[in-house]
């Protein structure tokens, strides 16, 4: 078991690495650039190499990137769809340069169109983005809460996409808050088992590459995506006890995307980390990476 956070890349990649170390991450996730813009990061071989070396030095692995929110690969709007494919291909190239295991992707919303058509568009987009790039970084499909006509609420649906797109360079991310809101009672042994069995027959649990570890502010089956601090939501402390005791998940990286108060996100993350570690059975609790004491601050007002 490895534990980490989604950290901000604002201020540069060295800041993301520093944020990960302050949070005592053993694994991490980052956006490659601001998630609400189409602009992607330009290649900077020196910066990329420093990031890769820094992650290795701090033993932070695996690293994941998260595709921007603007992507909608299920969209019937041709222009938007093509832009999405191009951005996903660029994200895969960035992930390769950063030696990230893969790009975590929300599958998008079919909108008013026939859901089957939306699904087909997602499959085509994944195939095209993959064809435009060389490996080894994976396209990692994330399950969603199921709000509106979003694609990827059930394990079966994710399985359909993977079967059509072929499992080559594909992974799956299971988000605990999304699964719970989607109607999987993963806070109970039976509910968790049911989801994992469905995943096993739909695409095979070997394809699961990470867990997004979030509690849910919204109720079971509500289909509303609202993250909560670990142990303080509807999954709750006991629910996470069930999740951490599950042998089929134990080898995976667990990455938190828990809520943060702007300006005080380090304290929020560290208190979530403390709670998580208290819930994990003692014999399974991973070692805590050393505390980063020396923090390098860039001079204010200077740009590089
Ligand atoms: Zn997530
Ligand atoms: Zn979410």
């Amino acid at each position: 078991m490895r534990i980490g956070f989604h950290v901000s890349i604002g201020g540069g990649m060295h800041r993301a690495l520093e944020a990960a170390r302050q949070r005592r991450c053993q694994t991490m996730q980052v956006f490659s650039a601001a998630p609400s813009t189409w602009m992607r990061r330009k290649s900077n071989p020196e910066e990329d190499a420093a990031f890769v070396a820094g992650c290795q030095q701090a033993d932070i692995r695996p690293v994941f990137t998260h595709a921007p929110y603007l992507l909608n690969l299920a969209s019937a709007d041709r222009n938007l769809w093509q832009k999405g494919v191009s951005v996903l291909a660029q994200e895969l190239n960035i992930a390769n340069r950063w030696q990230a295991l893969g790009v975590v992707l929300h599958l998008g919303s079919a909108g008013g169109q026939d859901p089957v058509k939306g699904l087909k568009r997602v499959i085509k987009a994944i195939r095209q983005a993959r064809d435009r790039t060389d490996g080894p970084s994976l396209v990692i499909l994330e399950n969603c809460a199921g709000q509106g006509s979003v694609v990827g609420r059930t394990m079966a649906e994710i399985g359909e996409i993977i079967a059509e797109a072929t499992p080559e360079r594909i992974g799956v991310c299971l988000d605990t808050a999304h699964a719970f809101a989607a109607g999987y009672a993963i806070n109970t042994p039976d509910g968790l088992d049911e989801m994992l069995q469905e995943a096993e027959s739909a695409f095979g649990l070997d394809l699961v590459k990470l867990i997004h570890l979030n509690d849910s502010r919204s109720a079971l089956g509500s289909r509303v995506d609202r993250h909560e601090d670990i142990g303080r939501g509807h999954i709750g402390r006991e629910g996470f006890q069930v999740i951490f005791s599950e042998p089929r998940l134990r080898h995976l990286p667990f990455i938190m995307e828990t809520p943060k108060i702007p300006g005080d996100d380090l304290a929020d993350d560290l208190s979530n980390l403390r709670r998580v570690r208290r819930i994990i059975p003692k014999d399974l609790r991973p070692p805590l990476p050393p505390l980063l004491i020396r923090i390098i601050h860039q001079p204010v007002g200077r740009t590089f």
Side-chain angles (χ1 to χ4, degrees):
M1 190 182 290
R2 298 180 76 83
I3 301 170
F5 285 94
H6 177 98
V7 297
S8 165
I9 202 148
M13 290 155 74
H14 64 288
R15 293 305 298 260
L17 188 59
E18 183 184 297
R21 294 192 63 196
Q22 287 174 314
R23 286 158 181 76
R24 306 178 95 166
C25 286
Q26 298 170 289
T27 175
M28 73 193 275
Q29 175 180 284
V30 288
F31 288 119
S32 75
S36 51
T37 67
W38 288 107
M39 290 277 290
R40 293 296 92 197
R41 181 171 291 270
K42 295 233 164 47
S43 171
N44 179 337
E46 245 170 68
E47 208 186 3
D48 293 346
F51 181 69
V52 170
C55 290
Q56 276 167 0
Q57 207 182 11
D59 194 30
I60 298 172
R61 66 186 157 83
V63 171
F64 299 91
T65 62
H66 197 299
Y69 298 134
L70 291 172
L71 257 69
N72 183 1
L73 301 179
S75 175
D77 177 331
R78 194 158 175 75
N79 195 20
L80 189 68
W81 183 86
Q82 273 172 341
K83 243 175 162 172
V85 174
S86 151
V87 166
L88 179 57
Q90 290 174 60
E91 287 286 316
L92 282 168
N93 286 331
I94 295 166
N96 280 322
R97 295 203 307 266
W98 291 355
Q99 297 186 17
L101 185 58
V103 180
V104 178
L105 176 72
H106 294 178
L107 299 176
S109 168
Q113 66 184 318
D114 175 357
V116 177
K117 280 195 178 149
L119 209 70
K120 288 229 148 63
R121 288 201 163 88
V122 173
I123 293 159
K124 196 172 159 196
I126 291 169
R127 281 178 166 275
Q128 284 201 10
R130 207 172 44 189
D131 288 349
R132 288 186 206 174
T133 54
D134 294 318
S137 291
L138 312 171
V139 180
I140 301 181
L141 317 182
E142 179 171 1
N143 68 313
C144 67
Q147 208 153 9
S149 44
V150 288
V151 179
R153 182 178 68 88
T154 63
M155 301 299 115
E157 197 166 65
I158 292 172
E160 262 179 71
I161 293 168
I162 294 173
E164 288 282 321
T166 80
E168 185 204 341
R169 276 166 60 203
I170 295 276
V172 174
C173 166
L174 296 179
D175 185 306
T176 52
H178 298 176
F180 186 79
Y184 294 105
I186 56 168
N187 57 327
T188 66
D190 285 352
L192 181 60
D193 180 60
E194 193 184 310
M195 183 181 81
L196 294 179
Q197 279 197 36
E198 188 184 325
E200 176 62 24
S201 65
F203 48 79
L205 285 173
D206 284 350
L207 284 191
V208 178
K209 300 302 172 192
L210 77 154
I211 301 291
H212 274 175
L213 188 67
N214 302 308
D215 210 333
S216 176
R217 196 172 295 181
S218 50
L220 177 68
S222 62
R223 299 203 181 187
V224 176
D225 177 9
R226 281 171 79 205
H227 299 192
E228 180 55 286
D229 289 329
I230 305 299
R232 291 182 173 160
H234 288 275
I235 298 177
R237 204 190 140 79
E238 276 153 39
F240 284 103
Q241 246 155 16
V242 169
I243 291 163
F244 290 130
S245 307
E246 172 53 58
R248 285 167 287 183
L249 302 179
R250 248 173 229 171
H251 61 290
L252 291 168
F254 286 78
I255 293 183
M256 284 178 263
E257 307 169 311
T258 37
K260 306 168 207 300
I261 298 165
D264 202 17
D265 55 321
L266 177 60
D268 284 325
D269 284 348
L270 288 175
S271 79
N272 272 299
L273 178 63
R274 263 194 302 276
R275 276 199 300 282
V276 162
R277 290 183 63 83
R278 258 185 255 131
I279 298 171
I280 299 171
K282 230 184 189 150
D283 53 321
L284 299 174
R285 212 175 285 161
L288 196 60
L291 186 63
L292 177 68
I293 295 167
R294 196 172 61 92
I295 297 162
I296 308 136
H297 285 292
Q298 274 194 24
V300 178
R302 241 179 97 185
T303 48
F304 290 88

